[in-house]
Coordinates of all heavy atoms in Angstrom, one line a residue:
E194 N 57.9 -66.2 -34.6 CA 57.3 -64.9 -34.6 C 56.8 -64.4 -33.3 O 56.6 -63.2 -33.0 CB 56.1 -64.8 -35.6 CG 56.5 -65.0 -37.1 CD 56.5 -66.6 -37.4 OE1 56.4 -67.4 -36.5 OE2 56.5 -66.8 -38.7
D195 N 56.5 -65.4 -32.4 CA 55.9 -65.0 -31.1 C 56.9 -65.1 -29.9 O 56.5 -64.9 -28.8 CB 54.7 -66.0 -30.8 CG 53.6 -65.8 -31.8 OD1 53.6 -64.8 -32.5 OD2 52.7 -66.6 -31.9
R196 N 58.2 -65.5 -30.1 CA 59.1 -65.6 -29.0 C 59.3 -64.3 -28.2 O 59.5 -64.3 -27.0 CB 60.4 -66.2 -29.5 CG 60.3 -67.6 -29.9 CD 61.6 -68.2 -30.6 NE 61.3 -69.6 -31.0 CZ 62.1 -70.2 -31.8 NH1 63.2 -69.6 -32.4 NH2 61.9 -71.4 -32.2
D197 N 59.3 -63.2 -28.9 CA 59.4 -62.0 -28.2 C 58.2 -61.7 -27.3 O 58.3 -60.9 -26.3 CB 59.6 -60.8 -29.1 CG 61.0 -60.8 -29.8 OD1 61.9 -61.5 -29.3 OD2 61.2 -60.2 -30.9
V198 N 57.0 -62.2 -27.7 CA 55.8 -62.0 -26.9 C 56.0 -62.9 -25.6 O 55.7 -62.4 -24.5 CB 54.6 -62.5 -27.6 CG1 53.3 -62.5 -26.8 CG2 54.4 -61.6 -28.9
A199 N 56.4 -64.2 -25.8 CA 56.4 -65.0 -24.6 C 57.6 -64.7 -23.7 O 57.5 -65.0 -22.5 CB 56.5 -66.5 -25.1
F200 N 58.7 -64.2 -24.3 CA 59.9 -64.0 -23.4 C 60.3 -62.5 -23.5 O 61.5 -62.2 -23.7 CB 61.1 -64.9 -23.9 CG 60.9 -66.3 -23.7 CD1 60.2 -67.1 -24.6 CD2 61.3 -66.9 -22.5 CE1 60.0 -68.4 -24.3 CE2 61.1 -68.3 -22.3 CZ 60.4 -69.0 -23.1
G201 N 59.3 -61.7 -23.4 CA 59.6 -60.2 -23.3 C 60.3 -59.8 -22.1 O 60.5 -60.5 -21.2
P202 N 60.9 -58.5 -22.1 CA 61.7 -58.1 -21.0 C 61.1 -58.1 -19.6 O 61.7 -58.3 -18.6 CB 62.2 -56.7 -21.4 CG 61.2 -56.3 -22.5 CD 60.7 -57.6 -23.2
D203 N 59.7 -57.8 -19.6 CA 59.0 -57.7 -18.3 C 58.6 -59.1 -17.8 O 58.3 -59.1 -16.7 CB 57.8 -56.8 -18.5 CG 58.1 -55.4 -18.9 OD1 59.3 -55.0 -18.7 OD2 57.2 -54.7 -19.4
R204 N 58.7 -60.1 -18.6 CA 58.0 -61.4 -18.2 C 58.8 -62.0 -17.0 O 58.2 -62.5 -16.1 CB 58.1 -62.4 -19.4 CG 57.5 -63.7 -19.1 CD 56.0 -63.6 -19.3 NE 55.3 -64.8 -18.8 CZ 55.1 -65.8 -19.5 NH1 55.7 -66.0 -20.7 NH2 54.4 -66.9 -19.0
F205 N 60.1 -61.9 -17.0 CA 60.9 -62.5 -15.9 C 61.6 -61.6 -15.0 O 62.6 -61.9 -14.4 CB 61.9 -63.5 -16.5 CG 61.3 -64.6 -17.3 CD1 61.1 -64.5 -18.7 CD2 60.7 -65.8 -16.7 CE1 60.5 -65.5 -19.4 CE2 60.2 -66.8 -17.5 CZ 60.0 -66.6 -18.8
D206 N 61.2 -60.3 -15.0 CA 61.9 -59.2 -14.3 C 60.9 -58.8 -13.2 O 60.0 -58.1 -13.3 CB 62.2 -58.1 -15.2 CG 63.1 -57.1 -14.5 OD1 63.2 -57.0 -13.3 OD2 63.7 -56.2 -15.2
A207 N 61.3 -59.3 -12.0 CA 60.5 -58.9 -10.8 C 60.4 -57.5 -10.5 O 59.4 -56.9 -10.1 CB 60.9 -59.7 -9.5
A208 N 61.5 -56.7 -10.8 CA 61.6 -55.4 -10.5 C 60.6 -54.6 -11.4 O 60.2 -53.5 -11.0 CB 63.0 -54.9 -10.6
R209 N 60.4 -55.0 -12.6 CA 59.6 -54.4 -13.6 C 58.1 -54.9 -13.6 O 57.4 -54.4 -14.4 CB 60.2 -54.4 -14.9 CG 61.6 -53.8 -15.0 CD 62.3 -54.1 -16.3 NE 61.7 -53.5 -17.4 CZ 62.1 -53.6 -18.7 NH1 63.2 -54.2 -18.9 NH2 61.4 -53.0 -19.7
S210 N 57.8 -55.8 -12.7 CA 56.5 -56.4 -12.7 C 55.7 -55.8 -11.5 O 56.4 -55.5 -10.5 CB 56.5 -57.9 -12.7 OG 57.1 -58.4 -13.8
V211 N 54.4 -55.7 -11.6 CA 53.6 -55.3 -10.4 C 53.3 -56.6 -9.6 O 52.8 -57.6 -10.2 CB 52.3 -54.7 -11.0 CG1 51.4 -54.4 -9.7 CG2 52.6 -53.4 -11.8
A212 N 53.6 -56.5 -8.4 CA 53.4 -57.7 -7.5 C 52.0 -58.3 -7.5 O 51.0 -57.5 -7.4 CB 53.8 -57.3 -6.1
G213 N 51.9 -59.5 -7.8 CA 50.5 -60.2 -7.8 C 49.7 -59.9 -9.1 O 48.6 -60.4 -9.2
E214 N 50.2 -59.1 -10.0 CA 49.5 -58.9 -11.2 C 49.6 -60.0 -12.2 O 50.7 -60.5 -12.5 CB 50.0 -57.6 -11.8 CG 49.2 -57.1 -13.1 CD 49.7 -55.9 -13.7 OE1 50.7 -56.0 -14.5 OE2 49.1 -54.8 -13.4
V215 N 48.4 -60.5 -12.6 CA 48.4 -61.6 -13.6 C 48.8 -61.1 -15.0 O 48.1 -60.1 -15.5 CB 47.0 -62.3 -13.6 CG1 47.0 -63.4 -14.6 CG2 46.8 -62.9 -12.2
S216 N 49.6 -61.7 -15.7 CA 50.0 -61.4 -17.0 C 49.3 -62.5 -18.0 O 49.5 -63.7 -17.7 CB 51.4 -61.4 -17.2 OG 51.8 -61.3 -18.6
T217 N 48.6 -62.0 -18.9 CA 47.9 -62.9 -20.0 C 48.6 -62.7 -21.3 O 48.5 -61.6 -21.8 CB 46.4 -62.7 -20.0 OG1 45.9 -62.8 -18.6 CG2 45.7 -63.6 -21.0
L218 N 49.1 -63.7 -21.8 CA 49.7 -63.7 -23.2 C 49.0 -64.7 -24.1 O 48.6 -65.8 -23.6 CB 51.2 -63.9 -23.1 CG 52.0 -63.0 -22.2 CD1 53.5 -63.5 -22.1 CD2 52.0 -61.6 -22.7
H219 N 49.0 -64.5 -25.4 CA 48.6 -65.4 -26.4 C 49.7 -65.6 -27.3 O 50.3 -64.6 -27.9 CB 47.3 -65.0 -27.1 CG 46.1 -65.0 -26.3 ND1 45.7 -64.0 -25.4 CD2 45.1 -66.0 -26.2 CE1 44.6 -64.4 -24.8 NE2 44.2 -65.5 -25.2
Y220 N 50.1 -66.9 -27.6 CA 51.1 -67.1 -28.6 C 51.0 -68.5 -29.1 O 50.2 -69.4 -28.6 CB 52.6 -66.9 -28.0 CG 52.9 -67.6 -26.7 CD1 53.3 -69.0 -26.7 CD2 52.7 -66.9 -25.5 CE1 53.5 -69.6 -25.5 CE2 53.0 -67.6 -24.3 CZ 53.4 -68.9 -24.3 OH 53.7 -69.5 -23.1
R221 N 51.7 -68.7 -30.3 CA 51.6 -70.0 -30.9 C 52.8 -71.0 -30.5 O 53.9 -70.5 -30.4 CB 51.6 -69.8 -32.5 CG 50.3 -69.2 -33.0 CD 50.6 -68.6 -34.3 NE 51.4 -67.4 -34.2 CZ 51.8 -66.6 -35.3 NH1 51.3 -66.9 -36.5 NH2 52.5 -65.5 -35.2
M222 N 52.4 -72.3 -30.4 CA 53.4 -73.2 -30.0 C 53.2 -74.4 -31.1 O 52.2 -74.6 -31.6 CB 53.2 -73.8 -28.6 CG 53.5 -72.6 -27.6 SD 53.5 -73.4 -25.9 CE 55.2 -74.1 -25.9
R223 N 54.3 -75.2 -31.2 CA 54.4 -76.4 -32.1 C 54.3 -77.6 -31.3 O 55.2 -77.8 -30.5 CB 55.5 -76.3 -33.1 CG 55.5 -77.3 -34.2 CD 56.7 -77.1 -35.1 NE 57.9 -77.4 -34.5 CZ 58.9 -76.5 -34.0 NH1 58.5 -75.2 -34.1 NH2 59.9 -76.9 -33.3
R224 N 53.4 -78.5 -31.6 CA 53.3 -79.8 -31.0 C 54.4 -80.7 -31.7 O 54.9 -80.4 -32.7 CB 52.0 -80.4 -31.2 CG 50.8 -79.9 -30.4 CD 49.5 -80.5 -30.8 NE 49.5 -81.9 -30.8 CZ 49.4 -82.8 -29.8 NH1 49.2 -82.2 -28.6 NH2 49.5 -84.1 -30.0
V225 N 54.6 -81.8 -31.0 CA 55.7 -82.7 -31.6 C 55.2 -83.3 -32.8 O 56.1 -83.8 -33.7 CB 56.0 -83.8 -30.5 CG1 56.8 -83.2 -29.4 CG2 54.8 -84.6 -30.1
D226 N 53.9 -83.4 -33.1 CA 53.3 -83.9 -34.4 C 53.4 -82.9 -35.5 O 52.9 -83.1 -36.6 CB 52.0 -84.5 -34.2 CG 51.0 -83.5 -33.8 OD1 51.3 -82.3 -33.8 OD2 49.8 -83.9 -33.4
G227 N 54.0 -81.7 -35.2 CA 54.1 -80.6 -36.2 C 52.9 -79.7 -36.3 O 53.0 -78.6 -36.9
R228 N 51.8 -80.0 -35.6 CA 50.7 -79.1 -35.6 C 50.9 -77.9 -34.8 O 51.3 -78.0 -33.7 CB 49.5 -79.9 -35.2 CG 48.1 -79.0 -35.3 CD 46.9 -80.0 -35.1 NE 46.9 -80.6 -33.8 CZ 46.3 -80.1 -32.7 NH1 45.7 -78.9 -32.8 NH2 46.3 -80.7 -31.6
E229 N 50.5 -76.6 -35.3 CA 50.6 -75.4 -34.5 C 49.4 -75.1 -33.8 O 48.3 -75.3 -34.4 CB 51.0 -74.2 -35.5 CG 51.4 -73.0 -34.8 CD 51.8 -71.9 -35.8 OE1 50.9 -71.3 -36.4 OE2 53.0 -71.7 -35.9
I230 N 49.5 -74.7 -32.6 CA 48.3 -74.4 -31.7 C 48.5 -73.0 -31.1 O 49.7 -72.6 -30.9 CB 48.1 -75.5 -30.7 CG1 49.3 -75.5 -29.7 CG2 47.8 -76.9 -31.3 CD1 49.0 -76.4 -28.5
W231 N 47.4 -72.5 -30.7 CA 47.5 -71.2 -29.9 C 47.4 -71.6 -28.5 O 46.7 -72.5 -28.1 CB 46.3 -70.3 -30.3 CG 46.6 -69.5 -31.5 CD1 46.3 -69.7 -32.8 CD2 47.3 -68.1 -31.5 NE1 46.7 -68.7 -33.5 CE2 47.3 -67.7 -32.8 CE3 47.9 -67.3 -30.5 CZ2 47.9 -66.5 -33.2 CZ3 48.5 -66.2 -30.9 CH2 48.5 -65.8 -32.2
V232 N 48.1 -70.9 -27.6 CA 47.9 -71.1 -26.1 C 47.7 -69.8 -25.5 O 48.1 -68.8 -25.9 CB 49.2 -71.8 -25.5 CG1 49.4 -73.2 -26.1 CG2 50.4 -70.9 -25.6
R233 N 46.9 -69.9 -24.4 CA 46.8 -68.7 -23.6 C 47.6 -68.9 -22.2 O 47.4 -69.9 -21.6 CB 45.3 -68.5 -23.2 CG 45.0 -67.2 -22.3 CD 43.6 -67.0 -22.1 NE 43.0 -68.0 -21.2 CZ 42.2 -68.9 -21.6 NH1 41.8 -69.0 -22.9 NH2 41.6 -69.7 -20.7
D234 N 48.5 -68.0 -22.0 CA 49.4 -68.2 -20.8 C 49.2 -67.1 -19.8 O 49.4 -65.9 -20.1 CB 50.9 -68.0 -21.4 CG 51.9 -68.3 -20.3 OD1 51.6 -68.3 -19.1 OD2 53.1 -68.4 -20.7

């Protein structure tokens, strides 16, 4: 459900990003033990 948040079109596009601007995202990831956690990126 969160992959579009983490890998949105602006995330890896230098031309569409503001130079030096920090992007803060929150999304869920799954640990190898199966537990789901929230991360701040």
Side-chain angles (χ1 to χ4, degrees):
E194 296 90 345
D195 294 344
R196 285 172 186 166
D197 288 342
V198 174
F200 291 89
D203 295 343
R204 183 81 190 280
F205 300 94
D206 190 341
R209 299 171 65 178
S210 299
V211 178
E214 183 179 83
V215 176
S216 170
T217 301
L218 302 174
H219 288 83
Y220 51 85
R221 288 160 292 182
M222 298 190 76
R223 188 177 66 255
R224 289 175 45 86
V225 293
D226 60 10
R228 184 166 62 91
E229 187 175 76
I230 63 171
W231 276 94
V232 298
R233 184 174 70 253
D234 184 348

